[in-house]
Every structure is written in C-alpha cells, then in structure tokens.
Amino acid sequence: MTLFKYLLLISTVLFIILTSSSCERDDICAEGTATTPLLIIKFLDFDTGTEAKAPVELQVKAVDVEAIFALDGVTDSIAIPLKTNESITDYEFTINSIFENDSIPLNTDTVSFQYTLEQEYVSSACGFRVNYKGLTVSPPEAGDDGSWIRSITIQREDVTDETTTHIFIFH
C-alpha cells in the first residue's frame, strides 16, 4: 500500500509541475517597448544649409483627414505618423496658419511620402509594429500661394526608430 501512496504522490506532483510550467505572466506590454516609429522631420535654413530654422506658425494636416495634427510648440523639428495600412502618406504643411491680418497669407505645400511597410513581431502583449523601408519623397506640390519649401533631403531611408532625423526640409 505504501508503494501506491508514493506513486500517487509522485503523479500528483508531476501533474502540478507540468500544468503550472505552461502558465505565463500576464500579457502587459511594458512601457518603453519599441512601437511603430514616427517620422522625424527637421527644418533647416535654405541659405545656410545647416542652421535650424523653425517655420512660422506651422500647421500639419494629413490629406483626406479633417483633423489637424497637434504640434506642441513647433520648434525646428516635428514627429508625425505615417500610415500603417498604405504605402503612401500625403501631408499638407502650412505656414502663417494663425494670422490676424491679411498682410501675411497662408502658404500650403503638399508633400507625399512613399515607403514599403514591414511588420515586426514584438511580443504577444504588444503585438506587431510597423517599420518603414525605402522612404522616398515626391517634390512638394505648391498651392496657389507659391512654394515655401525649397528642398527636401532624405537623411535615413529606413524609419525604424525615433532617435535621429529622417527628413530635412529646407525653407
């Protein structure tokens, strides 16, 4: 009878070990985990080519979207999202957007960003993130008000993080 008790005890312990080892901790995406990166754009003075220059009263809006992208105190660089379900994102960049008189008119240029989408698995808690490969930019389309963007240079063709500038816009 004692042999039966030992076998039952060993079987029970093995069953508990096997069932508890397959459990995982709660699936919570940890803060600081890499997510889909934003496109980092830096504005530079066209004449010097290296000096940072913030656009006056900049407003950024995705084409075909009513909402204006919120920019907190525009300086010489911004971070904007690219579409994760299409390989093209068009943005309207408008300067002099908050004017109080008619002496300084709005000036809007439309810029088209093209890229290849690449999904990357992060974890079961965080899911997938999208990286953008082979970034290209079409020349800005000026509105009736002329073009304020003079040149665009791609600094990094792959948007995989938010640590450095991807695009330089000269104005």
Side-chain angles (χ1 to χ4, degrees):
M1 195 68 172
T2 58
L3 180 63
F4 179 72
K5 286 182 184 179
Y6 285 120
L7 287 175
L8 183 62
L9 179 65
I10 291 174
S11 300
T12 305
V13 169
L14 283 174
F15 178 75
I16 291 171
I17 290 173
L18 289 175
T19 57
S20 65
S21 67
S22 65
C23 296
E24 294 182 23
R25 66 177 182 82
D26 289 339
D27 281 337
I28 298 174
C29 190
E31 190 173 323
T33 302
T35 58
T36 297
L38 298 174
L39 178 69
I40 308 296
I41 299 174
K42 185 165 187 164
F43 297 95
L44 299 173
D45 185 3
F46 181 76
D47 296 326
T48 66
T50 57
E51 188 176 317
K53 180 181 175 185
V56 178
E57 299 171 353
L58 178 67
Q59 175 181 326
V60 178
K61 181 179 122 12
V63 173
D64 298 331
V65 176
E66 291 300 318
I68 296 170
F69 187 71
L71 301 174
D72 297 327
V74 177
T75 57
D76 62 353
S77 63
I78 60 172
I80 58 175
L82 296 173
K83 292 180 181 178
T84 58
N85 57 348
E86 293 181 33
S87 60
I88 297 175
T89 303
D90 296 330
Y91 271 104
E92 293 176 348
F93 293 85
T94 303
I95 58 170
N96 306 323
S97 61
I98 310 168
F99 63 92
E100 296 180 8
N101 58 45
D102 292 330
S103 64
I104 304 174
L106 294 171
N107 193 334
T108 302
D109 289 353
T110 303
V111 179
S112 180
F113 301 98
Q114 302 89 26
Y115 42 83
T116 301
L117 299 170
E118 183 180 271
Q119 289 192 352
E120 175 185 349
Y121 180 75
V122 178
S123 69
S124 61
C126 301
F128 288 86
R129 72 182 230 141
V130 175
N131 291 315
Y132 308 96
K133 302 289 184 171
L135 180 68
T136 60
V137 180
S138 296
E141 292 180 24
D144 297 334
D145 45 18
S147 180
W148 68 271
I149 297 175
R150 312 249 320 255
S151 175
I152 298 176
T153 301
I154 297 173
Q155 181 68 17
R156 289 181 56 205
E157 291 182 357
D158 295 337
V159 181
T160 57
D161 59 40
E162 299 173 7
T163 57
T164 59
T165 301
H166 303 111
I167 302 282
F168 289 132
I169 293 182
F170 298 89
H171 65 106

